[in-house]
Amino acid sequence: MDFAVCPSCKQSVLDDDAVDCPFCGAPMKGGPRPGGAPAKPATSKAAQSSKSVSASATNTASAANAVNRGAANKSAGRSSSADQSSGTDDLPFETETKAATTVAVATATKQRSFRVVCPMCETVGYISPKSAGTRVKCANPKCLVPTFDAPQLPPPEPEKPPEPPRKPNYILLGGGTAAICIIGGIVAYFVASQPAASPVAVNRMTPEEAARLLAETAPAANTANNQTKNSGTPDGTPQTTTETTPNPGDTKTAAGSTVDLAKELPILIEKTVLIRGSQNRSLPFSRQMAAEAYALLGNIEKAQEQVVAFDRVGQNVPFYKISILTELGWAQLRAGTSDAAKASALAAYNLVNKLPGNGRSRLIFASRLGSLLIATGEADKATQLANDYATTWKPGLIDSNLVAERLERQDGQVAALLQSGLDDFAGSIAQVTATRPGVVWFEPQAAAMARSAAAHGFSEKAISWAISQPEVRQLEALGEIAAFEGATAPPDATAEALKAKFDSWGANASVMKLPASKAYLFARGAAAVASVSRPAALGLIKEAQTLLEPVELPAPMTWPKTQGLINPQLPAVAPLERLFVAWAEVSIACQLAGDTAGCDAALSKALATLQGVGPALNYVDQFLEQLNGPDVASIRDRLKDELGIRTEDAARQAFSSYRRGTLNYREHAAIRYDLELQALDRLAQAGGQAIVWKKLQELASDTNAVQKQVPSEISMKLVSSLATAFQLANEPTQAQAVTDWYSGVTRIGAITPSATLLAASRFAAKDGAGAAAVLKEADAPTRALMTSLLAGQLKEVGMVEPALVLIGQTSDLSVREEASIFAAHAAHHQGEAAKIVTHLQTLPQATERLSWIRGLSMPIKK
């Protein structure tokens, strides 16, 4: 059967009655196409997209060639697409894909802003708005069916018709213009009628009058918020005198030399805590200080209000609340509401998991809470805190490269000292520092917990908790309770009474059954009571010496032979360490009690005990240099001869054991050296520099090479303390002899003076600026400790001003805030609280003001 053929494109047409060709649109009877356009041959979509056909409709041969080329391109395109698809997408199902496909991108750009969603994997992509309604590819390279039809653009919103122009109100406009002209004329007439030069002087309001006016007219909340700097005081805060309640911007009060703190401090707290902006560096810390101040003043209701306010601003530092709840718990105990105190303690305990991972604040927060838990009967939780949030001191890290660990244990010591200033109202941080142990605390946080609980009046519970602890912690905790009992003893205290009190702990305390441990407790009590009653101190020292004399001192360690290094047999450190600590504590007690001969004898026995712990560190280090040197092969040959070894492999194994045994001896040598330096440095700072200098020379001139301890870079801190102590004692010749001796041995020329001793000396001479200048060069823990220590060491009238200068010239605001607590409490003890109230109102920072207020709020116990 023959079909009709289009005369233009030569395609067969099934419909016999067709008027126009369905392929090219030309008339089936011939003639031009509708519209006058030349006819085009029919091609596939692929051919049309890959290459356009020639415009000549009559050139059939050209059209046929174009069709053939399009078919070939179509075949090649499909082959290439299939190869690419199988190599990248790995589609499990083959889908028909249009040749022209837009790839969506995952992120919108300026050109691709139209959002599309893949119907297969629901991945969001972006294409150009021009590609809407076309075939697109998913932005997810792992999509199983990556191509889909993009939706059409939404129809544009019809434009709103423009609002008809408003007709001007000519009446209102004319009336306003006339009013302006009338007012301007009146003003011009008034100015023109004035004389050329007025004889009346215009007096501006002074800053004091302005501040007073604001205080009388502004609401209380705005008084704190609207303070601005002016020229009233050197730091720019307003200077004001009021007749009623003080304003946070005032520098004078109507109280004169004395103040009624119970009335004035709540007013200052309420106004200061509302300060905002740059004058309040930390709203959570402000609330913390305010809550603690109220709790210390016994105003539990106001303290609880501050707790609620803290919850609104302290989400980022929830552990601050531990300190608030701890102080609130102590206030509730003083008020006789023990159930409420326990609830506060448990609420604080539930927040301990919010404590930061490092830093000194977490140690103080945890140990202060631990003391409250002891007092409220939650001893197990206190033990858990001592286990989890404590830094134990282990000798032997003197030359460790673990800087973080060394700083951590230093932070633990500083935290224990500062806690005594926060919780021991009967004494002071300076008193605790002056009577600290001959060797630093091994478990400072546990010791601080026990002492704090005793200072709050819960000695029996503190003793019971201490006795329940492991041996080292038990000894540390009981030692601090003994020191607290000695420091708070009356002037007529006797050694017999204190001894009887300490002996009463022996029924349940395992350490009381050990002569060295019991002697340590007596010596701790003696060192603390020395400033109260010298006869009582000497009596306790004699009791400690009586307990220690029968204990045999160990023989000095000798260097082993080859087999002894391969299989080392080293002594147990713990019992020797305990004996050394007891004799070191006796030497400190003798020094503080004025018994120089007893101090010399006790120190000699302490150092002799350490000679049984290990050899001299410098001897072991010289031995190790040989093992690490170039003669390793000859050492292996010697080991083969001495041990009868035949193979090189066995010789190498023997050498490894030989070196490992030497390192074990070095560990004991490092423990010995660390303990020696601790005891000697503590005695030098206590005024025993002459004895320390003598012992250092004896150790360096020992004829036994294994025991001959010469100075090194590690001992620079001790030599610095020794030389500075001689210089401050007006013995420059001795100070020069120490530095010359040290430089001659170590080849170290420059020795920095001890910042601790130098700052203390300058502050004692009422040179607060000089003390601050010295501490600027010290390391951060020393600077923080000494600033707080000196600021709280106001032993006489006239020391408040140097303390204010010292704190004011300290650049670290957090150190200033911490130190101001101790300075305020010490000034309160001296009856100079009014000076502090005057000073704190000149400070621009709310947190610093509240720290001073917190210190003034601490109760005084005589």
Side-chain angles (χ1 to χ4, degrees), residues 102-107 112 116 124-127 136-140 148:
T102 301
V103 179
V105 297
T107 305
R112 301 192 178 194
V116 294
V124 177
Y126 295 90
I127 63 174
V136 297
K137 188 173 182 179
C138 179
N140 180 9
F148 58 94

Side-chain angles (χ1 to χ4, degrees), residues 38-169:
K40 294 181 180 180
T43 60
S44 65
K45 294 181 180 179
Q48 290 176 1
S49 62
S50 62
K51 186 174 182 180
S52 62
V53 184
S54 172
S56 175
T58 59
N59 194 344
T60 308
S62 298
N65 290 338
V67 170
N68 293 336
R69 285 196 300 270
N73 290 341
K74 176 179 178 182
S75 175
R78 285 181 177 177
S79 175
S80 174
S81 175
D83 292 343
Q84 183 178 3
S85 174
S86 63
T88 58
D89 293 340
D90 194 20
L91 297 178
F93 305 102
E94 194 68 36
T95 60
E96 183 180 357
T97 308
K98 293 183 179 180
T101 304
T102 301
V103 179
V105 297
T107 305
T109 64
K110 185 179 294 184
Q111 291 77 19
R112 301 192 178 194
S113 59
F114 184 50
R115 183 176 182 269
V116 294
V117 180
C118 176
M120 180 64 186
C121 64
E122 298 184 351
T123 299
V124 177
Y126 295 90
I127 63 174
S128 171
K130 297 180 180 179
S131 301
T134 64
R135 198 75 169 169
V136 297
K137 188 173 182 179
C138 179
N140 180 9
K142 297 183 180 181
C143 181
L144 298 179
V145 184
T147 58
F148 58 94
D149 291 325
Q152 295 289 346
L153 287 173
E157 296 182 0
E159 296 183 2
K160 295 182 179 180
E163 295 183 0
R166 296 181 179 179
K167 295 182 179 181
N169 191 334

Side-chain angles (χ1 to χ4, degrees), residues 129 141 170 244 292-293 542 546 587 661 689 849:
Y170 295 104
T244 55
E292 292 183 21
K542 186 176 181 180
T546 302
S587 71
Q689 61 269 15
R849 295 186 193 182

Side-chain angles (χ1 to χ4, degrees), residues 149-215:
D149 291 325
Q152 295 289 346
L153 287 173
E157 296 182 0
E159 296 183 2
K160 295 182 179 180
E163 295 183 0
R166 296 181 179 179
K167 295 182 179 181
N169 191 334
Y170 295 104
I171 298 176
L172 181 60
L173 183 61
T177 304
I180 293 173
C181 293
I182 294 172
I183 294 173
I186 294 173
V187 171
Y189 173 78
F190 176 78
V191 172
S193 63
Q194 297 298 316
S198 175
V200 180
V202 179
N203 293 324
R204 294 183 176 273
M205 185 180 295
T206 65
E208 292 80 6
E209 292 172 341
R212 185 182 301 112
L213 182 61
L214 286 174

